[in-house]
Amino acid sequence: MISSSFSVKENSYCQYSKFRVGCSLLCEDGTIFNGTNVENASYGLTICAERSAICTAVSQGHRKFKAIVVSRCDQDKFTYPCGACRQFIAEFGLDIDVYSTRPDGSYERGTICELLPFSFGQSDVI
Ligand SMILES: [Zn+2]
């Protein structure tokens, strides 16, 4: 999944920020969906790679995810999903593993629960 997140990063549409992001999402059944960030001249319409991958998976009928791998730009540091994406990932389970990678293939891991403590979720609205 780390290599696929690197590959899909090449498809990033980031002409404004030049901040390339690739993401690979592992479903419970082993299926992997990829996503990349898609920017827009109206900046607020930009969608992150994580949400891109999740929307693709959900639209194909998948709802149970085990892990998500994020490959950001070419920075030599670990970065994690933005707040909006953390909320989006948490919608599908607080035990989803989130991996952040560096260009050398090294990674760090945390659960979405660790990245989004005291989260707002389904039990708050149902
Ligand atoms: Zn995001």
Side-chain angles (χ1 to χ4, degrees):
M1 282 190 27
I2 290 175
S3 63
S4 62
S5 72
F6 285 176
S7 295
V8 73
K9 186 172 61 174
E10 300 302 318
N11 298 330
S12 171
Y13 182 78
C14 59
Q15 64 180 341
Y16 306 106
S17 72
K18 311 294 187 213
F19 192 77
R20 300 181 308 138
V21 184
C23 176
S24 293
L25 176 68
L26 175 64
C27 300
E28 201 169 78
D29 69 356
T31 306
I32 295 173
F33 289 93
N34 297 305
T36 190
N37 54 328
V38 181
E39 294 184 342
N40 191 280
S42 177
Y43 294 168
L45 296 179
T46 294
I47 184 166
C48 300
E50 298 91 322
R51 285 180 281 146
S52 174
I54 290 170
C55 287
T56 301
V58 170
S59 62
Q60 298 295 316
H62 294 264
R63 304 263 165 85
K64 296 185 177 184
F65 309 125
K66 293 174 71 174
I68 190 163
V69 176
V70 183
S71 166
R72 294 193 188 285
C73 209
D74 297 308
Q75 298 176 343
D76 195 32
K77 65 177 184 179
F78 296 111
T79 57
Y80 284 89
C82 74
C85 286
R86 292 177 194 207
Q87 179 68 36
F88 213 82
I89 295 165
E91 177 71 18
F92 297 96
L94 295 174
D95 59 344
I96 296 171
D97 289 321
V98 180
Y99 291 82
S100 175
T101 65
R102 292 194 309 199
D104 66 1
S106 59
Y107 62 87
E108 287 183 344
R109 183 196 66 80
T111 65
I112 194 62
C113 186
E114 293 168 330
L115 297 176
L116 189 66
F118 308 107
S119 63
F120 179 84
Q122 295 178 12
S123 64
D124 296 307
V125 292
I126 297 177

